[in-house]
Amino acid sequence: MMNKLIFGRYIPGDSIIHRLDPRTKLLMSFYFIGIIFLANNWQSYLFLAVFTFIAILLSKINLGFFLRGVRPLLWLIIFTVALQMFFTSGGEVYWQWGIFRLTEFGVINGIFIFCRFVLIIFISTLLTLSTPPLALSDAIEAILRPLKVIKFPVHEISLMLSIALRFVPTLMDETEKIMNAQRARGVDFGEGSIVQKMKAIVPLLIPLFVSSFNRAEDLATAMEARGYQGGDGRTKYRILHWQVKDTLTVIVFVFVTIGLVWLKN
Amino acid sequence: MVMDIRFEQVDFTYQPNSPFEQRVLFDLDFQIKDGSYHALVGHTGSGKSTILQHLNALLKPTKGTVTIGDRVITPTTNNKNLKPLRKKVGIVFQFPESQLFEETVAKDIMFGPKNFGVSEEDAAKLAEEYIELVGLPLETLKKSPFDLSGGQMRRVAIAGVLAMEPEVLVLDEPTAGLDPQGRREMMAMFAHLQKEKQLTIVLVTHLMDDVADFADYVTVLEKGRVVKQGTPNDVFQDVAWLEEKQLGVPTAAAFAKRLQEKGWTFNELPLTAEALAKVILTKEGLAHDE
């Protein structure tokens, strides 16, 4: 069930995209999502699509993964695109039925929104597929570090983040295990009315919470026993290195932005 | 009813047709006879746990058929209507204490039976019966399962599965993490239960002593394939083979093997401490006669 989620998974690989600094990847992904909103005509969308496609090719990750990443969000996309198509007025009217109206602008807007969705999903899937979760949390810590000036608990947040990321698969396994154990005791998950379905979750949820509490206690004890006393005065084992290819990536993005501004209306 | 369990050319693949595809069972053929005490041994990753989940259709084979009593599970079997099967095959998973959730021990033990349509009163009776069987006092029933010690929680969880009164009892390392006395008591209880209620027991374990002491039949698995099967006597005679596979040998057999190297002769290696003692005593007796 949960194994179907592609979004947010990491696929080990050794491509130029994999080897980029996670800070670069994270910042540039956000930046890309930002500049997608600049695009407003065919040329600019095509330009961004080509750029995304090249990035995907460079990562050497099977294109199927990206398509699968879109699948869970398909209904949301269709819903939004349909809303745009039927309720945008302006331009030539192709078809009308009550308040539903298919217009030239509506169709164009719908297609643009579709492109936007797909590009955003592709680029964020590319980020998570090519970056190990721990590297991502390192990157977030590094990016948040300036906030220390305003007393933002950067170390604590990043510690929680890396522990949380580390335990996602463990908790998934645990969930699966408890589900199976309760199934063997006669629980039907996801069957019957909505009330029955919710009731069936209780024998899963309580053990999960209890085991999370126990796990947290054990982990805290183990951390203290190993001399953890908080963030001050700690050294780092994983150190991020900014390399030439990261600078190049930023330069590429500068050119992409210039190109985009030149292409848009 | 006869509850033979038959695996016929069973293949199983996790997440088929995905990039994370992983095949774990390969053309598996074996049988668990009704009323027998059957041990499954093998390294971690040999597919034991996957096989366990086939025994009550938590997983369905990707190819081949699993026959459980009169139910045939094929890759296309519908997920509906599996409850009768799950009542007949009770599984005690590894570290079953993590499945406890109710407010009181009594309610938790009654949870299984009630899911299978047993009435409230009958379920309460079952809870009383089985809490004593697993060696806990009746007062425990009123406590919260989360106030108990780890070992007691384990017993409650096992009582919860036993209370479903399954015909086949599947045990996945039921004694892992228990103290030696608890382990002995637990294993003796299962053996007793099997004789008394003519249960079929399927035991997954790494403890070869338990296999030698209790099992009628052993299946040795390696990388999703059966590599050896037979009675413990057949399987454990070949100590060198077991050592090469790093599967472990019953303590008594290992000791007998060392005696053999010192010049003793055995018709066949004794597997349990009692059998070994008997052999040694008769030999000593013979020595006195001479």
Side-chain angles (χ1 to χ4, degrees):
Chain A
M1 178 184 79
M2 283 160 270
N3 294 329
K4 283 180 195 143
L5 274 180
I6 291 289
F7 189 76
R9 274 184 98 147
Y10 166 63
I11 298 181
D14 185 33
S15 67
I16 176 123
I17 304 271
H18 280 89
R19 272 176 277 137
L20 279 180
D21 193 295
R23 286 171 296 184
T24 322
K25 281 191 271 189
L26 188 66
L27 283 178
M28 289 306 118
S29 303
F30 277 114
Y31 182 71
F32 184 81
I33 290 169
I35 59 172
I36 281 177
F37 293 94
L38 287 177
N40 61 359
N41 58 15
W42 296 109
Q43 297 89 329
S44 51
Y45 273 110
L46 188 69
F47 177 61
L48 288 181
V50 169
F51 174 75
T52 312
F53 191 66
I54 291 172
I56 289 173
L57 279 188
L58 281 177
S59 76
K60 294 186 197 155
I61 297 172
N62 190 339
L63 196 65
F65 280 110
F66 294 90
L67 296 177
R68 228 169 288 165
V70 174
R71 208 183 288 159
L73 294 170
L74 200 60
W75 287 112
L76 181 71
I77 298 173
I78 290 175
F79 180 71
T80 320
V81 168
L83 272 186
Q84 282 290 331
M85 277 194 162
F86 292 120
F87 292 105
T88 310
S89 50
E92 193 185 325
V93 177
Y94 299 129
W95 175 83
Q96 185 158 13
W97 183 74
I99 53 164
F100 298 100
R101 183 192 298 154
L102 202 60
T103 63
E104 189 187 344
F105 285 8
V107 171
I108 292 172
N109 251 334
I111 292 171
F112 283 176
I113 289 223
F114 178 77
C115 290
R116 221 177 258 176
F117 257 119
V118 171
L119 287 180
I120 290 175
I121 294 168
F122 274 16
I123 216 78
S124 41
T125 311
L126 179 64
L127 171 71
T128 55
L129 286 183
S130 68
T131 321
L134 272 182
L136 264 186
S137 85
D138 284 345
I140 293 172
E141 181 177 6
I143 292 165
L144 289 180
R145 194 161 303 142
L147 291 179
K148 250 189 176 157
V149 184
I150 56 160
K151 298 258 162 68
F152 186 79
V154 176
H155 169 76
E156 281 76 9
I157 298 278
S158 70
L159 179 75
M160 283 194 269
L161 196 65
S162 37
I163 291 177
L165 285 171
R166 157 66 187 77
F167 279 104
V168 168
T170 316
L171 278 176
M172 289 267 219
D173 287 350
E174 181 97 17
T175 312
E176 188 92 24
K177 233 189 76 184
I178 297 172
M179 258 179 134
N180 275 338
Q182 306 297 25
R183 266 199 202 112
R185 295 212 283 168
V187 180
D188 290 322
F189 289 104
E191 273 177 41
S193 69
I194 188 132
V195 179
Q196 280 171 316
K197 271 184 203 168
M198 273 155 65
K199 272 192 181 153
I201 297 284
V202 176
L204 174 65
L205 227 46
I206 293 177
L208 259 183
F209 271 110
V210 171
S211 85
S212 303
F213 286 137
N214 291 337
R215 211 184 286 282
E217 209 174 316
D218 291 347
L219 182 67
T221 315
M223 278 170 75
E224 277 188 349
R226 295 174 73 182
Y228 177 79
Q229 289 179 325
D232 296 330
R234 278 173 71 80
T235 52
K236 280 181 84 69
Y237 174 63
R238 294 187 307 267
I239 295 171
L240 301 173
H241 293 287
W242 189 270
Q243 290 158 302
V244 180
K245 49 179 170 283
D246 296 300
T247 316
L248 282 178
T249 315
V250 175
I251 294 172
V252 167
F253 268 93
V254 169
F255 279 111
V256 169
T257 318
I258 294 171
L260 196 61
V261 171
W262 181 65
L263 282 172
K264 79 183 196 126
N265 292 337
Chain B
M1 206 194 78
V2 183
M3 285 292 286
D4 280 341
I5 299 177
R6 265 201 330 275
F7 280 68
E8 277 162 303
Q9 276 140 39
V10 170
D11 280 7
F12 186 78
T13 309
Y14 279 107
Q15 305 183 49
N17 307 321
S18 88
F20 306 101
E21 184 175 285
Q22 196 187 5
R23 195 168 163 199
V24 285
L25 298 183
F26 298 84
D27 206 17
L28 203 66
D29 268 294
F30 80 105
Q31 214 189 126
I32 296 168
K33 282 222 177 58
D34 180 56
S36 68
Y37 198 130
H38 197 115
L40 289 178
V41 298
H43 281 290
T44 22
S46 57
K48 291 169 303 193
S49 300
T50 310
I51 291 176
L52 288 194
Q53 293 177 47
H54 278 85
L55 297 177
N56 72 354
L58 286 171
L59 295 177
K60 287 173 290 180
T62 27
K63 233 177 73 196
T65 59
V66 181
T67 316
I68 308 161
D70 53 359
R71 278 297 287 269
V72 183
I73 307 291
T74 62
T76 52
T77 300
N78 197 312
N79 272 329
K80 295 237 160 67
N81 205 11
L82 289 172
K83 261 194 176 182
L85 183 65
R86 297 206 172 133
K87 190 200 171 321
K88 281 182 193 150
V89 184
I91 302 190
V92 177
F93 284 94
Q94 237 175 77
F95 301 107
E97 51 273 30
S98 66
Q99 74 192 30
L100 302 175
F101 73 99
E102 283 280 15
E103 296 152 53
T104 64
V105 169
K107 278 192 189 170
D108 205 282
I109 299 178
M110 287 156 65
F111 179 70
K114 273 164 66 187
N115 278 332
F116 293 116
V118 175
S119 74
E120 190 86 26
E121 301 94 69
D122 290 345
K125 270 185 216 136
L126 284 172
E128 284 175 20
E129 183 186 339
Y130 283 98
I131 194 82
E132 293 203 304
L133 195 74
V134 295
L136 292 175
L138 269 180
E139 301 94 77
T140 323
L141 285 178
K142 292 192 205 84
K143 291 189 186 159
S144 157
F146 301 112
D147 289 338
L148 304 176
S149 76
Q152 289 170 324
M153 282 170 86
R154 173 82 54 92
R155 284 160 196 262
V156 171
I158 290 174
V161 175
L162 292 178
M164 290 156 35
E165 309 214 287
E167 293 170 39
V168 180
L169 182 62
V170 183
L171 307 163
D172 191 356
E173 300 198 41
T175 60
L178 288 187
D179 58 282
Q181 193 197 340
R183 212 166 74 201
R184 267 196 302 275
E185 281 174 18
M186 201 70 93
M187 291 312 293
M189 191 264 292
F190 290 132
H192 173 74
L193 211 64
Q194 191 228 355
K195 293 229 168 58
E196 191 188 10
K197 307 213 170 184
Q198 266 110 53
L199 283 181
T200 309
I201 289 192
V202 182
L203 172 74
V204 169
T205 186
H206 290 289
L207 302 170
M208 297 303 154
D209 282 344
D210 283 349
V211 177
D213 284 342
F214 299 109
D216 306 323
Y217 210 79
V218 195
T219 302
V220 184
L221 295 155
E222 193 182 28
K223 294 186 182 131
R225 293 184 174 88
V226 175
V227 283
K228 205 164 195 153
Q229 50 185 334
T231 62
N233 249 330
D234 300 338
V235 172
F236 288 132
Q237 288 309 316
D238 199 350
V239 173
W241 182 82
L242 287 163
E243 274 169 354
E244 179 199 307
K245 297 268 175 202
Q246 294 182 336
L247 278 169
V249 186
T251 324
F255 189 73
K257 179 85 183 164
R258 282 174 66 189
L259 287 175
Q260 207 172 37
E261 279 155 16
K262 298 271 182 217
W264 284 60
T265 47
F266 295 97
N267 292 333
E268 57 176 17
L269 289 180
L271 301 182
T272 60
E274 289 85 46
L276 179 64
K278 218 166 161 186
V279 176
I280 293 176
L281 280 178
T282 34
K283 286 217 181 206
E284 283 296 304
L286 282 176
H288 278 293
D289 288 341
E290 279 168 8

